[in-house]
Amino acid sequence: MPSLDARQATLLKTLVEQFIAEGRPVGSSRLLACSGLSVSSATVRSIMVDLAERGYVSAPHTSSGRIPTPLGYRFFVDSLLEPERLARQTASELHEKLRDSSGGRDGLTNDTSALLADLTRMAGVVSVPRSDLRTLRQIEFLPLSDCRVLVVLVVDREEVQNRVVQLSKNYSRESLERAAAFINRHAAGRYLFEVGEVLRRQVQEAEAAVGEELAVLMQQAVSESADADHAGLVIAGEPNLLAFAEIGSRERLVALLRALDRKREIAGLFRRCLDADGVQIFIGNESGVTVLDECSVVTAPYRVDGEVAGVLGVIGPTRMAYQRIVPLVDLTARMFGVGLKS
């Protein structure tokens, strides 16, 4: 992106901050008063013409002031943004509400999306934590008829998962109990993705203890649970977006709310953020999701024991207070990760 000189950057920063705060075009006299520059009004107007020609600002009407374009916002967040230090009260509220959340992992996820929506007055989004970051508590194999085995998996504190696996022959209850005991002895208390690795490292020992087919069953039972599709989203605060006329026409708002309800397009965007290093900001059509062309999305990955477990963030108008939203999303992601672990 082409650079701006000091006066251009100062006026663009002032314009973005004033437009975010007031929601209306900013005139040259207002810019001069708020920027602190010792220049004439004519110089300010000349600089604004130059910024408009370069695509950083636009004028909704010929007689009005200027507003930032998506390119102007992008330069602002990349080069001029000064994240606020979150108020102690906000940080304390985050900590207390996430600490006191009930209902296990699902309750914490719901509470976090609602809290993001409440604190930003926008839409809060949290992707459901990766299923392989659940902790194995206990596994059981129960014989059924016709060479089938019921796999009972207890994960996290009390969640129970059941599935039926077809084998080539019937196995006695005692053989299945030995297979379950092997996993519980070597892997109980580990994350599911670790359990698969433990079994792979000890495959020869497992085969000697329970036989080749049951050793394969043990890996299959854990792997299917770890790979289960839990890549959903929890979204809260969708009605908050109705307050932002700048998002567009009624038809555009309806399309956005429908997309948030379907979640498919939004989930794709959040999956793309899984490999991101820290906070990501998508402005306008940068998201690649058409219904978000008049919106901005701020996301951050959250981690459990250093492993990225998912992504959370905020969807709102391009005229959002980035200096406050960015540190808020970042802190929430870190606190949510801690909450999942505990």
Side-chain angles (χ1 to χ4, degrees):
M1 182 180 297
S3 61
L4 302 179
D5 64 32
R7 291 192 303 186
Q8 292 171 329
T10 297
L11 286 176
L12 179 60
K13 182 173 185 290
T14 303
L15 174 73
V16 173
E17 291 174 343
Q18 291 298 311
F19 183 67
I20 287 173
E22 300 176 3
R24 57 177 181 266
V26 186
S28 298
S29 58
R30 178 73 169 164
L31 280 173
L32 182 58
C34 296
S35 67
L37 291 176
S38 299
V39 297
S40 66
S41 296
T43 298
V44 172
R45 288 193 293 272
S46 175
I47 292 174
M48 297 312 295
V49 168
D50 183 53
L51 290 175
E53 291 176 346
R54 297 173 65 178
Y56 292 100
V57 303
S58 65
H61 308 287
T62 54
S63 60
S64 70
R66 309 279 181 169
I67 64 173
T69 64
L71 181 63
Y73 281 122
R74 172 49 59 193
F75 190 92
F76 174 77
V77 300
D78 285 348
S79 305
L80 306 173
L81 182 64
E82 298 176 357
E84 292 179 0
R85 183 182 181 88
L86 289 179
R88 182 175 299 177
Q89 180 179 353
T90 300
S92 296
E93 182 179 355
L94 267 172
H95 176 72
E96 290 174 6
K97 289 191 174 181
L98 296 186
R99 180 196 62 194
D100 296 339
S101 179
S102 59
R105 187 189 69 160
D106 292 343
L108 181 63
T109 303
N110 290 326
D111 289 347
T112 300
S113 63
L115 191 54
L116 279 169
D118 289 343
L119 291 173
T120 64
R121 307 311 305 164
M122 300 177 197
V125 185
V126 181
S127 69
V128 175
R130 279 172 41 192
S131 56
D132 62 354
L133 283 170
R134 295 180 174 186
T135 301
L136 175 68
R137 299 303 177 191
Q138 185 177 351
I139 194 168
E140 291 183 53
F141 298 128
L142 302 176
L144 301 175
S145 61
D146 300 324
C147 305
R148 295 176 302 152
V149 173
L150 175 65
V151 181
V152 181
L153 204 67
V154 182
V155 297
D156 289 342
R157 293 181 180 176
E158 53 190 20
E159 181 179 342
V160 179
Q161 301 178 3
N162 297 322
R163 63 177 50 84
V164 175
V165 177
Q166 183 73 48
L167 298 179
S168 64
K169 65 178 182 179
N170 285 315
Y171 284 87
S172 68
R173 181 178 294 271
E174 291 74 18
S175 296
L176 294 174
E177 287 176 350
R178 284 200 304 273
F182 186 93
I183 297 179
N184 291 329
R185 182 168 65 253
H186 288 89
R190 293 178 179 266
Y191 292 124
L192 291 181
F193 77 88
E194 295 179 303
V195 175
E197 181 60 31
V198 167
L199 295 178
R200 281 189 290 273
R201 289 199 306 265
Q202 299 179 323
V203 63
Q204 291 183 336
E205 182 183 348
E207 289 179 359
V210 300
E212 182 177 354
E213 186 174 25
L214 286 186
V216 172
L217 166 65
M218 295 185 327
Q219 290 197 42
Q220 179 184 353
V222 175
S223 297
E224 286 184 358
S225 179
D227 293 338
D229 183 16
H230 290 282
L233 295 181
V234 176
I235 303 178
E238 300 96 315
N240 291 337
L241 300 177
L242 297 173
F244 299 105
E246 59 264 45
I247 289 179
S249 64
R250 182 179 182 278
E251 290 75 15
R252 181 176 286 276
L253 277 169
V254 169
L256 173 58
L257 294 177
R258 284 176 176 168
L260 292 174
D261 184 57
R262 287 193 305 268
K263 300 181 181 179
R264 185 175 63 254
E265 301 99 316
I266 312 300
L269 172 62
F270 274 62
R271 279 195 296 271
R272 283 160 42 200
C273 298
L274 282 169
D275 297 326
D277 184 15
V279 175
Q280 298 289 299
I281 302 172
F282 301 89
I283 300 170
N285 60 14
E286 292 175 352
S287 70
V289 180
T290 302
V291 294
L292 297 177
D293 281 354
E294 302 299 325
C295 298
S296 283
V297 184
V298 180
T299 70
Y302 57 84
R303 300 174 180 270
V304 177
D305 283 347
E307 292 279 342
V308 173
V311 178
L312 56 73
V314 169
I315 298 174
T318 54
R319 186 182 68 86
M320 66 167 62
Y322 299 95
Q323 66 273 18
R324 177 174 176 269
I325 300 299
V326 167
L328 178 62
V329 168
D330 183 42
L331 179 61
T332 304
R334 286 186 276 123
M335 287 188 172
F336 183 58
V338 171
L340 286 174
K341 179 176 173 59
S342 60

